[in-house]
Amino acid sequence: MRKKQIALAAALGCTLLLAGHALAAGAGNEPTELDADTVEYDMKTGVIQATDNVLMRQGDTRIAGQKAVYNAKTKQGTVTGGVIAVRGAMRMTCQEVISDGPEHMKAIGGVHGTENDRSFTGEQVDYFPQQNDYVLMEQGGIVSNQDGTFTAARMEGWLKDDHYLGTGSAHLVSPARNMEAGGDRMEYFGQDQGRVVAEGNAWAVQDNNTMRSNRITIYLAKDGQATVQ
């Protein structure tokens, strides 16, 4: 497993953040464009409502959906109905994106994202940019690329620390490394040498060799190879 395998969560966080910014209709250094069949703006309340064929553009970011609501005073907003968010090579789809302001963004309903050979899937993804870029998939998630797949019943990560944690049926499969591992809890540390720690009914298989323990540590070499201990 290589660092880029789980680092996709960082791209997800950026996309959610930009989705929240796009709701602001003018936030950020670049101008924002809002197109829709119907747009209503209440200058007294600061609420903007756009319905049907909504498309927001800011730089290379595009957010599309069926309805968007943004409150310029509270900085809160939502985009609902077949939401598609695109930024460069990154593409995310879901049913709803909610921004509570700069502190919290959330994607709900069949969340799926891709970036080149990498992808992530979850029913709900929360992003807290002011909490060390914290990402939470409370209902579980899948992160994968051509080198392998990491799944768990609950996933969370601290993007700035390159630190991720999966709990509940945590499972890592890396066909490229001929390695598979799992446990009740699996933690990934991407900094320095890099390692994965599986705990609770932990097991690992590499090159037809099987190991079982309450705690197994997998050290990741700089060349992407893995050593199980």
Side-chain angles (χ1 to χ4, degrees):
M1 185 181 71
R2 294 177 179 175
K3 184 182 295 186
K4 69 176 185 178
Q5 189 170 331
I6 301 181
L8 176 63
L12 166 61
C14 290
T15 300
L16 289 177
L17 180 60
L18 286 163
H21 284 177
L23 288 168
N29 296 324
E30 297 179 308
T32 299
E33 297 180 16
L34 170 62
D35 294 325
D37 290 351
T38 303
V39 177
E40 298 180 1
Y41 176 46
D42 189 326
M43 296 183 67
K44 183 178 180 179
T45 63
V47 175
I48 302 170
Q49 295 190 61
T51 56
D52 298 326
N53 301 311
V54 178
L55 176 62
M56 290 173 286
R57 295 183 290 265
Q58 185 180 50
D60 65 349
T61 301
R62 303 287 186 273
I63 310 292
Q66 288 304 303
K67 182 177 181 180
V69 179
Y70 177 73
N71 190 315
K73 294 184 178 181
T74 64
K75 309 302 181 184
Q76 298 174 325
T78 62
V79 182
T80 59
V83 178
I84 302 174
V86 178
R87 178 175 183 260
M90 180 73 180
R91 185 178 190 273
M92 183 186 73
T93 59
C94 63
Q95 287 304 308
E96 183 176 16
V97 171
I98 300 174
S99 172
D100 295 333
E103 297 182 358
H104 178 218
M105 292 88 187
K106 175 166 56 179
I108 303 172
V111 184
H112 180 69
T114 60
E115 185 182 32
N116 300 322
D117 69 319
R118 295 169 285 179
S119 68
F120 62 84
T121 301
E123 187 58 30
Q124 178 175 313
V125 181
D126 288 80
Y127 176 54
F128 301 83
Q130 296 184 5
Q131 296 182 28
N132 214 27
D133 281 349
Y134 176 66
V135 173
L136 171 64
M137 296 185 187
E138 185 71 48
Q139 301 178 39
I142 303 171
V143 179
S144 64
N145 76 344
Q146 62 181 0
D147 287 337
T149 301
F150 179 41
T151 63
R154 181 182 188 274
M155 297 184 70
E156 58 187 318
W158 296 263
L159 307 182
K160 289 184 178 180
D161 297 332
D162 201 13
H163 175 198
Y164 307 92
L165 173 64
T167 54
S169 302
H171 188 201
L172 171 66
V173 180
S174 180
R177 305 293 178 265
N178 196 27
M179 184 190 71
E180 185 174 359
D184 298 334
R185 182 179 187 273
M186 186 172 289
E187 197 162 6
Y188 172 84
F189 302 87
Q191 295 183 356
D192 300 323
Q193 177 183 355
R195 70 187 189 279
V196 175
V197 180
E199 295 181 297
N201 300 306
W203 57 272
V205 178
Q206 185 181 39
D207 298 327
N208 295 320
N209 298 312
T210 301
M211 180 179 295
R212 298 183 185 278
S213 176
N214 187 54
R215 178 186 174 94
I216 296 176
T217 301
I218 304 171
Y219 293 94
L220 307 174
K222 293 182 179 180
D223 60 3
Q225 298 299 318
T227 301
V228 181
Q229 294 186 5

